[in-house]
Amino acid sequence: MSDNTDFTQRRRRLFDVLPEAMLGCSLLLASYASGAATTSGNLAPAILQDKEQQEKLIVGPNPRCKLGNKIDEEDPCSDESEDEECVPKWICQPDEDEDEDEGEDEDEGEDEDEGEDEDEAEDEDEGEDEGGSNTGSAIGVCQNPHPEPNKTVFNVSSEQANQASRFLNHATLGANYATITQVTTMGEAAWVESQFKLPVGKHLPYSECLLAAYMAFDNFEKADAVFGDPVEFRRFSWWTQVMTAPDLLRQRVGMALSEIFVVSDKVGQLGDELEPLPGYYDMLLTNSFGNFRDLLFDVTMHPTMGVYLSHLNNAKANVQKGIYPDENYAREVMQLFSIGLFELNLDGSRKKDGQNHDIPTYNNDTIRQFAKVFTGLSYSGPEAVFGDNDEEGYVYFTQPMKMFDEHHDVTAKTLLNGQTLKAGQKGIDDINGAIDNLFNHPNVGPFIGRLLIQRLVTSNPSPEYIARVSAAFNGTNETPRGDMKSVIRAILSDPEAQSAKANKLREPFLRIVQLYRAFNATSSDRTYNNEGYEIQEHINQFALSSPSVFNFFQPDFAPNGELKDAKMVAPEFQLVNSATVIGVKNYLHFTLLGEEVFATPQHFAPVWFDLSYETALAGDANKLIDHLDSVLTYGTLTPNSRAAIYTAITGVSDAKKRVLLGIYLMMVSPDYAAAL
Amino acid sequence: MSKTLSRRDFLKQSAKFGVASTVMMSSLASFCSAANAQPQHQGGDYKALVCILLAGGADSFNLLVPADNVGYQEYAKTRADLALSKSQLLSLNAGENNGRTLGIHPNLTEVQSLYNTGDLAFLANVGTLVKPTTTQELANNTAVFPYGLHSHSDQIDQWQSSLPDVRSGTGWGGRLADIMHSQNADQTLSMNMTLAGNNLFQSGVTASQYQLDARGSGAIDLLSYEDGDDLSRLSSNAIQSMYGDNYQNIFRRAYVKAFNSSISANAKVSQAIGASAAFGTQFGEDEFSRELLMVARAISAANTLGMKRQTFFIEYGGWDHHDDVLKNMAKMVPVLSKGMASLHSAMTEIGMENNVTTFTASDFGRTLTSNGKGSDHGWGGNHMIMGGAVKGGKVYGQYPSLAINNPLDTGRGVLLPTTSTDSYFAELALWLGVKPEQLGSVLPNISRFYDSGSAGGPVGFMG
């Protein structure tokens, strides 16, 4: 990985200008509303004034909209003439038709749940974008295709609500009270099955739509002021999809996978271009309910991973020139993505040799053998060539890498468990052979199973829990090995997940996400275009922004003190330090008590909570606390904390302020920081 | 200012008026007394180690390069497209080592002058070793290798733990603090300060680490309300009550502990650093330089903070150059060189140049041979030690042959280290004041490499 100084600098710069830019916001909003979309240069987020940088950003990666605002001929949404402006069409792609949508998808034919209603969506779209295209108004241009959430609240007991809430805290990135009562009524298992059927709430289409809207401006400075920096669009997409896509379970699992199969915007090219990260994320989402073997293959073949772990443009050995295959991906695919360092039993414990030592799964020679497998890959795309072609020409970040057999190492390879790939095979056959070799290693179930349990449910699953999940991974008469749906069912329905024995520290980022999700943050245009830099400054975390391939925290991390003494792990504590502990609290403070809205570029509607349900309860402080306890801590609020919060909120008479103070205190409490 | 302190005020305040805002912490941090800033420390008994971790595995055989004809030819042949041109190399006064005359990377301009004035030394081919390992053992396949050799996560850990034969939860800086922290006046604030988050190097059995913030006055200010209005009082009381409780659940207890120690430490640090005088030395605007500046400010506030012994940890990441190693290093090496020189200059300004020793660490050296675009994970590498107490102007250790298939080559120009991290760090630990008989608790494997009863240091760069 290479460091991304430019990006860091830019982020720093953004952070520095933020206070001033925000002061100017109301002015901008007013002039915008009156139809004069003018901006005074000084407050136009001085985020990206470097034209060259900007053009590179736009010309390079996007196959849909070239500079000049033309629609790519292959655009499935395009029934306008080619000369018209490239009108953003997020609305054209509500459910994704993967097979036809060439620019979009990254894997070869899979998916069962396809073939939906492209046409209907397009009709709706017609009328709307006329007014929008010239002003670039997002309303009616990048219109959110997701249905409005169902706000029905059923009458359920607090025990039922607590149980559903704990479940939804494992299965989603945060659920509001309506969803909690709906799941109670529906049943957890039935809810999971219904979630499996929902289409993929992909992140890239909205980014692309925003870019197209951005490109409709003749002037980048203006466009920056209206839409923000295109570098941020993937972050806007992240929020908008996570807040509104109905596939809640998939969005949760996808986030977990992104913390296992790590790529990051800390690598320049990935952060600076539009497609690499949301394209990769969509691949993870798409595979979340598929088979692990396909997931591992798609991760391996994704150009974003190819850039991140440098097996893209990895050439076969040239001994005369002293050139050998890059070993980076070969190592990490074993260590982090599939089998781990040591031979494992079904329950995740380490196997021992005769001398009671751990047994390594591979050695350096194995790495060199696998390194030969991952040679010959480069971008696909009409102008793609093997080698140094990322400066010019079209390359795709939305399609798997292409094998250039002349650069592939065709010597025989010895893989795990003595299995071999014979000499002279096609490159893609070698890769398939290597993925099969890894996929069929007995470690994968316990290794990946434990990681997923840790992300979704608990830091210290019992060996029995791991064994049950491993068994689901390994398959039955009815389900194949690697079936992700079986693994997810096993993780979420396990008795250990349904008790307060399941302990973990909440990831700081997910605390923030849950705040917005649980309390119905809404905006009139249903977009949530926050770049997240400020959140990141406070808590050192944002999706796809890990400092290294080892994620924000490692699975075996234990902080000094009681937890380490008790031989327990608490990975998320790796993000806890004197800066972030305060940072989380400060963020919650200015959001809830300072009533600062979720910052978005001025073009978009402001985001604020819908607290109508809570405000209606505010007259009875105990009822309000019961409700917050159900939603956030599923009935595990301690009597002391309850009393402390009760005293505080009964000191405030204004209903809204009482609710905000109650939420704030709940969310900064130790009771919430650690999920039980 | 209005009743609520808004986010923008908060940001401004933490950037510009860090001291003032510590007052607001008083409601939560009862100990936060307005201690008067002490006069700035002028050396004296204070000592600090600053570890710069070049995360990712720096290609350090392009930092310290043979410049004599024979040595350079060997280098150029092995490194192929990764070789720097001979004419670009910067020369060193007294750059001889092991029959070679060494030069340095063309962008190490400031390092060159630090070396030539005797304030910086190099240590050649140092790396993780389980025990002294001979080329004979290598040839016989009887050599014992570190655990997870070439793996980032293992090697970056082992460079911090100096325990290549086990997985360790403690680092040598942490174990050092376990022994030395008692010398500091304030027992509630960790002597180990980091600008790179929690790290293994500074984790001890009892020692924790304090995270500095490169912005503002070093500590994150606690956002609260001014004026003691009702909402402020109500929320502060509730938080105090919750964070004063003894929770049954171990995760909650651990979080309470982390929260409380953060609040108290931040108040102290913010006040002390906020009161420290500005430096005349201009630090760069890049993140690494900003972090170095914060280290310099924390050192200048050390007396106020009651520190006699400290470690600092900075990470300058992004050295994993499987691609474009020459281009990437040309961008990153100047930042490293300028940053180190700024720190030294700032220390000289406050008379602390002999009290602060800065050293580099990295996951590993890299393969001497090319993968066609860059280099892969190696083993031994070259490092720098800077400070007035360093016997600088010299290359320590043994600079190896760079010929492919030389006896130290384990394949692809991955070199068996000739000096262990234990010896490297023992030299630093002894300088900081670890007694020879305590060395084994800081560096458990040190006796395999060095007899702590012997007269000279393990390597010699600290005398």
Side-chain angles (χ1 to χ4, degrees), chain B residues 80 114 122 134 141 154 185 192 238 270 275 342 411:
Chain B
L114 286 164
F122 277 93
T134 63
N141 284 328
D154 288 305
N192 286 343
S270 175
S342 304

Side-chain angles (χ1 to χ4, degrees), chain A residues 572-585:
Chain A
E572 292 82 359
F573 261 96
Q574 210 169 343
L575 274 174
V576 171
N577 58 51
S578 41
T580 56
V581 162
I582 309 295
V584 172
K585 185 189 166 297

Side-chain angles (χ1 to χ4, degrees), chain A residues 17-55:
Chain A
V17 303
L18 202 58
E20 277 79 4
M22 286 170 51
L23 289 172
C25 284
S26 53
L27 182 82
L28 179 63
L29 186 62
S31 67
Y32 197 75
S34 71
T38 53
T39 50
S40 50
N42 58 346
L43 60 89
I47 302 161
L48 180 51
Q49 285 166 345
D50 179 349
K51 281 283 147 331
E52 259 180 48
Q53 178 79 9
Q54 215 160 37
E55 280 169 28

